[in-house]
Structures are given as structure tokens and as C-alpha cells.
Amino acid sequence: MATKVYIVYYSMYGHVEKLAEEIKKGAASVEGVEAKLWQVPETLHEDVLGKMSAPPKSDVPVITPNELSEADGFIFGFPTRLGMMPAQFKAFFDSTGGLWRTQQLAGKPAGIFYSTGSQGGGQETTALTAITQLVHHGMIFVPIGYTFGAGMFEMEKVKGGSPYGAGTYAADGSRQPSELELEQAFHQGKYIATVAKKLKGVA
């Protein structure tokens, strides 16, 4: 039976979504792994999104809390708002109380990826503060550490991401994920899918 890895994300301007797509490719590259993309529900009204110049959402399905229980592993992604996950993703986690009461997500591996506007915009604090959500569910946080190798030590090019997970810098919104950032995202998907497959194999 396939190991199911869900890449669950929120993306307002598309930067996180691009990372998510690459993460899915990485996860799906592991034999016996079924990777699927999901979005969390939007909480802002369309009029507000329009004033923020947010593009229309893609056709990636919107996940409900109970659908999380079907997965064997997760990779959660979101942009940063003041050094933390945005309200949209927090609202989604807040709606998982039923899963928390029954600890249906306990013991399942989960990774985190993110986007910030600048190099000091919260690449690591966003991951650190998001870990609390995983802890209360009993999930196992899986960082990528330095398994990405030489790409972790790139100093000549601007590169998002850290040992906590893949990342990108959006700047004023015009900058898109670089090839190196996308390679790190692919690596994260493959790495966490491998861990999820191993854990499922010994469960």
C-alpha cells in the first residue's frame, strides 16, 4: 500500500505554491509514495484579496481537517506574517481540534517550508513558531538539516531555506524561487517522503 504524503500549503501570491509543486515532485520520486497537493481555506474576502492584488487561486483542492488523518506524512508550507505563519494557516490548525482530541496525527512525520519578503523576514522564526502546532498533535518534526549538501552553504547567490526546511525570498513579490531554491524544495520532498515511508514500514 502506498505511503501518502500530503503537501498542505497557503499561498497568496504564488511563491509558496511554486515550492509546493517542486516538493511534490521530490516526494513522488520516492518509489511507493503517493504525493498530493492541498490548499488550506482562504479566510479573506475576495474584495480584500483584490485590493491586495492577489491573483486567483489555483485549482489545487482545498483540504478539510479530517482529510489530514488519511496521510502518512506531511509537508506544510506558508508565507511569513511578522515572523510567524499567516492567520489563514493558523485558522486551519485551529480547526483540527477533533483530530487533536483523538491524536489521529500522533507519530506522523511533518516538515515545514516557507517564504519571506527579506533575508531577515523570519525564515527560521516562522518554522520555529510553527513547530508548536506539530507538538500538540504529537507529530514528529522532520528538519532537512544539512542533507541538501553544498547547496546549504551557497554564499554568492541569494537563497532562502535553512536546516528547518526549504524557503524562498519574495522581495516585493516580483522575485520568484530560484533554481537552487527549487532544488532544495525537491530535496525536502524526497527526504521527508523517504522518512514517512520508513516509519510506515515499521509501524
Side-chain angles (χ1 to χ4, degrees):
M1 193 172 180
T3 298
K4 292 185 178 181
V5 174
Y6 284 0
I7 299 95
V8 184
Y9 69 91
Y10 174 76
S11 187
M12 180 174 283
Y13 296 106
H15 299 81
V16 170
E17 186 165 68
K18 285 190 177 179
L19 292 179
E21 290 167 352
E22 206 63 25
I23 285 172
K24 179 189 175 184
K25 292 176 187 176
S29 74
V30 179
E31 185 179 354
V33 169
E34 179 185 311
K36 186 170 183 178
L37 289 175
W38 296 92
Q39 298 186 76
V40 300
E42 179 58 81
T43 60
L44 295 177
H45 192 276
E46 286 185 12
D47 291 345
V48 176
L49 292 171
K51 291 177 181 178
M52 297 174 73
S53 300
K57 299 293 183 187
S58 69
D59 59 0
V60 170
V62 174
I63 195 168
T64 61
N66 287 339
E67 284 171 305
L68 288 175
S69 63
E70 301 168 359
D72 301 300
F74 309 94
I75 311 175
F76 299 114
F78 27 78
T80 296
R81 298 291 183 266
L82 302 177
M84 301 176 70
M85 70 169 61
Q88 289 89 340
F89 216 96
K90 182 61 168 61
F92 175 71
F93 269 128
D94 286 349
S95 70
T96 61
L99 298 176
W100 168 77
R101 278 192 297 274
T102 52
Q103 287 293 284
Q104 290 186 54
L105 305 182
K108 296 185 178 184
I112 295 169
F113 63 104
Y114 36 80
S115 170
T116 65
S118 65
Q119 294 186 61
Q123 291 268 315
E124 294 192 348
T125 59
T126 300
L128 277 169
T129 52
I131 289 171
T132 60
Q133 313 297 305
L134 311 185
V135 167
H136 281 259
H137 273 291
M139 287 185 272
I140 302 169
F141 174 54
V142 181
I144 60 171
Y146 285 83
T147 60
F148 187 47
M152 295 296 294
F153 299 93
E154 172 59 50
M155 298 294 286
E156 300 303 318
K157 302 174 184 176
V158 173
K159 184 190 78 68
S162 74
Y164 293 93
T168 188
Y169 294 120
D172 61 359
S174 61
R175 182 182 184 274
Q176 296 300 313
S178 68
E179 282 303 312
L180 187 57
E181 289 170 337
L182 293 174
E183 287 172 14
Q184 186 178 36
F186 182 95
H187 171 77
Q188 182 176 21
K190 184 176 181 179
Y191 183 76
I192 293 180
T194 300
V195 172
K197 182 179 177 181
K198 288 179 179 177
L199 287 175
K200 184 176 182 179
V202 297

